[in-house]
Every structure is written in C-alpha cells, then in structure tokens.
Amino acid sequence: MKQDSNFIINFDNKSHSSAKFSIYRYWRHLHRQQRAFFIAIGLLCVWIYVDYYKNSLNSIGYTSDEYQREKINKEKETWRNKQHLKNPLSKSQIKKQYFSTPTNEYRIAVRDAMKHAWKAYRTYAWGYDELQSISKIPSTWFGLGLTIIDSIDTLYIMNMTEEYREAREWIEKSFNLDSNSVDKYNSHFEVTIRILGGLLSIYHLTADEIFLKRAIELGDRLLLNFNTPSGLPLAQINIKRKKPGAYRWTPDSTTAEVGTVQLEMRDLSRVSNDKKYENAADKLAATLHNQSKDDGLVPIFISPLTGQFSGGVVSFGARGDSYYEYLLKQWLQTGRKRSLFWDDWIESIEGVRKHLWHVAYPEKFYFVGELIGMSTFSPKMDHLACFLAGNMALGWSFQSDLSYLLDMAKELTKTCYQMYAKQPTGLSPEIAYFNIDSNSNESTIIVRANDVHNLLRPEFIESLYYMYHLTGDKIYQEWGWNVFQSFEKYTRQIDGYSSINDVRNKENVGPRDKMESYFLAETLKYFYLLFDESNLFPFDQWIFNTEAHPLPIYNS
C-alpha cells in the first residue's frame, strides 16, 4: 500500500522544521468540521486529566487545601532532616564509641557469661522476646525480639562483634511494629525502658542511623499514650493497632510506670530534632511536680486521668522505685539546669531520712522500709530498692557538701550485700524483712517463704558499680565478684541462665525456666563495668536509664 507522505513524519531523515511543516500542511488541508472534531477531542482529554487528578487527591483524603498543607509539612520535614544533619548539639553528641576486648580476668569471665547467655538465646529463641532456658523454648511477651534489642548495647560494649552484627541485622530487617505478634496490649513503661531505651542507647554508641529510624517509628506510637487530660501515659498500649489502654483491673497506673519514661522521650527529641516527644515528657514531669507530696514521698498508684495519687503505700521497691531514680537523672540529663528535678529528688531523700530510714538489730544494718497508709512503718525492703544506694552516691558526686548522701549510700550498699551473703547460695531473696526490735531474738534479716526466689536482678550490682567508681574502694569489686560467682554456680544452666525459686536451698535451688532479658541488658553489663578500672561512662557525660541503657547528658 502506498504511503502518503503528507501524513508521515520521518524523524530519521527530516529536520524538526520540516516535521512541523508537514504537520502544518496536514492541518491546513483538513475540513472545518474535522478541525472542530480534533479540538473537541483535545479539550475532552484536558478535562478528563484535570478531573482524574482532582479525584486522585480526594481518594486519599485530601482537599486541595489539605494537599497544600501536606506539601508544606513534607517540605518542613525535609528541612528538619537537613537541620538534624547540621545541628551542632546533636552532631557533637552522636559520635561512634569504641570499646576494646577485655584483658583482666574478671571482665573476661563476665564476657564469657554473656557469650553463654547469648548463644543459648541465639540457638533456641532467636527473634522471640526471651528464652525459657530449661525447656529450651522461646517465650513471647512484646513480640518485638526483646532480648536482641535490650542487650545489643551490652554486646557492643563487650566488643562481641559477630553477635552485635547479627543483632543489628535483625533490627534492620525483622523489627516490625505491624506484625501479628505485636497485636496485644503491653506495658507502655516496659516497652519504653527496654525497647526504646535500647534503640536510643545503641544509636548513641554506634551513630548507626537504622537504630534512630527504629526509635522514631516506636516513639511515634508510644506518643499516642500521652493523650490524656493530665499528660500521664496510660498503662498499656497495643502498638500494632495504635491503641492505648488502662489495666483491666484498675484505671490507675503505678507511679514508677508514669515517672520512668521521660529520659527516653526527651532523648528521642534531642536526636530527632522533633520537640513533640520532649513536650510530652515535660508535661508529664510538670504534672508529677505539681502534685502534693508528703516530704517528697508519694503513693505507688496514680490516675492518668486526674493526675492524682491514690492508695496509701509508699515504697522504693516495686511500683515506686524508678520514679525517684528518674528525678535525679532528669536533672542530670538536662545539664543540671532544671532545679525542679533536683528539688523533688532531694526532698524525697529527706522524706526517706525522716520516715523510711531505720536500723535493724542486732547487727545494726540500715535499710529503707515502706509506709502503709502513709503513716504505718513496715520493715520490708524489696531487692529493687537496692538501686537507691547508687542513686544517692550519684547525687552526692554532684553535691559533695551533702556528705550524708554518701554515708547513707555506703550503709545501704552494705545491707544489700548482706541480703546476699547471709543466704546459703550467696544470692539475695526478692524481698527481705528486718528486725527493728532491739530486744528481739530474731535475726537481723528475715526471709519469708514467699520471698525466697531470685530473679537475676541487677539493682545491687548497679549500686556496686556507682560505689566503686565514685569512691575507689575495692571492697565493692570484691563483693561483686562474690555475687558473680554465686550467679555462676546456682543460676547458670547447660544453656543460658535461669532465675531460681529458693536462695536458701543449695542442693535444690529450683530453676524457674526463665532467662530475663534484663540479665543480659543490666546485670551482666553492670558486672562488666564494675570490674573495669576506668569508668567507661563518665558520670558527668552519661546517665543510664532504669534498664541500664546509657544515654548522653546534654548541656541544656
């Protein structure tokens, strides 16, 4: 078939000008009706395109105004990201830290313990939250690979490079807030201190952006829990569904839960250059600060709806402990510029001296008891309360004129050590009672049958770490080595470690089939730091969150 050259544009042999000429001749030879037809088709195409574009915006929930706002927000986000890279405060804080392989026998022994624990978790529970070390099966709590994230900074500090790389790869490729395993209500507090704290800590140690990315992903969902009238977070959150919630058995939260999330949220703002997390932490802190207190002491329950404390139990053990711990550490985190944190903390220590500080007989061990009904003293002290010795010593290191802080810290550390030393296994019970009657024939430390278990807790080792590096007294290292050997003898299993049922029974401690993530994250980390002659984390530069994750101190 012959081709009419008037209808063909040959781009191979003709110039653009000749192409235009051919089109022009073609158009000129069309009838008026044909030209009108083509013009109508063109206008129809334009109309269809505009309508499609408009409907596309509406289909994703935007009006044209909303689209413009979203565009502006994206531009702002891009600007913030660029500022994050330029921000001198953040840049000065986020520097990769380097740690050497241990050389002294004590740190080598602790590192070997960490290797033993990690190998068991890696073999039998990889990607799950924790290991049941006797039955050799994984257990699920958060559904977020808890042991990996909780202990990755310990791996890094101990220079366990191969294990660290495996953990990092899992966090990069398998950490998923939308997986079905996360479709449950979990403790807002525990997720914050263990998961968010772990991600922030390893980001500060490595400057690896994947950890910051994961921290922001998690922080954005945790932030939903602060949307209460008081600004106090609700007790639980379904991370997958982004739904906050209270406990089924009470609308209240515990004081420790709401008072122990500020360090993490504030740090997240500092590294992301987004104030929304710190704003939530500050509103929460203001609510707690403004509540009435009894010589700085508060009950162990509080309402996130009203901000009011409830109940009459005052304790530095379960449900109360880390509220007081974070008062001092927030003061340090913000460069010792915000006096309200120090004022609330030192007032609470005065409350301890006035209401909770007692001596037990006949050996005259000083301890921190509890108040029932805000008035009746109970000579009960949880092992959890042993954190207070290190906390007071840390406060003293910045206000050395307050010598009573160090005196109390020394006495409480000695008492906590005796909670270990007086048991046949050399391991502390979960709870102890003290004889405060000088005329009684009872032992100084009394252990009841319901309280004889040991959960591999870190609080005493934490205080030994502070006491040694603040005083230089090697007795604290000696006590730590004694306790470490007891852990090795009675809690080490063929695979990993296990909490035990009875610290009084050397022949049958009764393993509980549970290797807590905090044993790797805290207990072994504090042992390792205790046995270092230099302090790897100077106290004027770093603080540890309540899960032993190091975070930097800022100048403001």
Side-chain angles (χ1 to χ4, degrees), residues 440-509:
S440 171
N441 293 323
E442 283 195 285
S443 300
T444 308
I445 299 177
I446 304 160
V447 181
R448 297 179 179 176
N450 290 337
D451 307 322
V452 297
H453 49 288
N454 180 286
L455 302 181
L456 307 173
R457 289 200 186 276
E459 287 75 23
F460 175 56
I461 315 307
E462 174 186 0
S463 284
L464 289 178
Y465 161 66
Y466 284 107
M467 295 302 294
Y468 171 69
H469 287 294
L470 290 172
T471 69
D473 192 337
K474 289 187 176 295
I475 190 63
Y476 300 116
Q477 287 186 322
E478 293 175 19
W479 288 352
W481 182 244
N482 291 341
V483 173
F484 177 75
Q485 289 180 301
S486 293
F487 274 122
E488 287 291 286
K489 186 172 183 179
Y490 294 106
T491 70
R492 185 178 177 122
Q493 309 300 322
I494 296 173
D495 294 284
Y497 291 79
S498 176
S499 52
I500 59 176
N501 280 318
D502 194 346
V503 298
R504 304 169 305 176
N505 190 341
K506 294 171 61 175
E507 305 306 319
N508 184 17
V509 296

Side-chain angles (χ1 to χ4, degrees), residues 7 48 64 104-105 107 118 137 225 306 339 390 396 425 487:
F7 294 86
I48 291 173
S64 58
N104 76 53
E105 61 176 309
R107 295 176 74 213
W118 182 261
I137 60 175
N225 239 18
T306 67
S339 60
W396 165 81
T425 59
F487 274 122

Side-chain angles (χ1 to χ4, degrees), residues 171-359:
I171 292 171
E172 180 182 26
K173 297 180 179 179
S174 301
F175 181 80
N176 184 3
L177 298 179
D178 294 313
S179 69
N180 290 333
S181 64
V182 193
D183 191 5
K184 63 181 73 174
Y185 280 94
N186 280 311
S187 166
H188 175 90
F189 156 72
E190 295 285 3
V191 172
T192 299
I193 66 170
R194 300 193 194 210
I195 303 291
L196 182 58
L199 291 169
L200 289 169
S201 173
I202 195 61
Y203 173 61
H204 285 291
L205 298 181
T206 65
D208 189 330
E209 291 292 322
I210 187 60
F211 301 123
L212 176 59
K213 179 181 178 181
R214 296 289 181 255
I216 292 172
E217 290 171 0
L218 179 58
D220 283 342
R221 301 199 186 194
L222 292 174
L223 194 63
L224 300 172
N225 239 18
F226 292 83
N227 189 25
T228 63
S230 68
L232 304 183
L234 295 173
Q236 298 189 105
I237 185 168
N238 185 311
I239 294 173
K240 175 181 170 64
R241 297 178 183 270
K242 304 177 185 178
K243 289 185 177 181
Y247 289 124
R248 293 180 180 179
W249 51 278
T250 177
D252 289 348
S253 298
T254 72
T255 301
E257 287 172 333
V258 303
T260 318
V261 295
Q262 302 96 314
L263 293 182
E264 297 80 4
M265 298 302 282
R266 187 173 291 113
D267 187 75
L268 184 55
S269 273
R270 302 303 176 96
V271 294
S272 68
N273 287 320
D274 192 331
K275 286 284 291 182
K276 62 185 179 183
Y277 313 106
E278 185 162 9
N279 289 341
D282 287 346
K283 182 178 179 180
L284 158 60
T287 297
L288 292 174
H289 173 71
N290 291 329
Q291 300 308 307
S292 61
K293 304 173 181 68
D294 187 358
D295 295 317
L297 304 178
V298 296
I300 61 174
F301 288 100
I302 190 169
S303 169
L305 301 180
T306 67
Q308 299 293 315
F309 291 106
S310 61
V313 177
V314 173
S315 176
F316 276 71
R319 300 190 175 97
D321 50 358
S322 47
Y323 158 75
Y324 302 99
E325 174 191 354
Y326 268 36
L327 291 176
L328 175 66
K329 290 183 177 180
Q330 288 182 86
W331 178 67
L332 296 175
Q333 184 188 40
T334 54
R336 290 175 278 162
K337 299 292 196 302
R338 299 179 64 179
S339 60
L340 68 89
F341 294 129
W342 171 268
D343 292 344
D344 285 352
W345 181 77
I346 200 66
E347 185 184 10
S348 73
I349 300 301
E350 292 298 331
V352 169
R353 295 176 76 191
K354 183 176 179 180
H355 300 286
L356 305 179
W357 189 248
H358 280 254
V359 62

Side-chain angles (χ1 to χ4, degrees), residues 15-27:
S15 67
H16 290 290
S17 61
S18 63
K20 291 179 182 177
F21 177 74
S22 297
I23 295 170
Y24 171 74
R25 284 196 302 161
Y26 170 68
W27 179 260

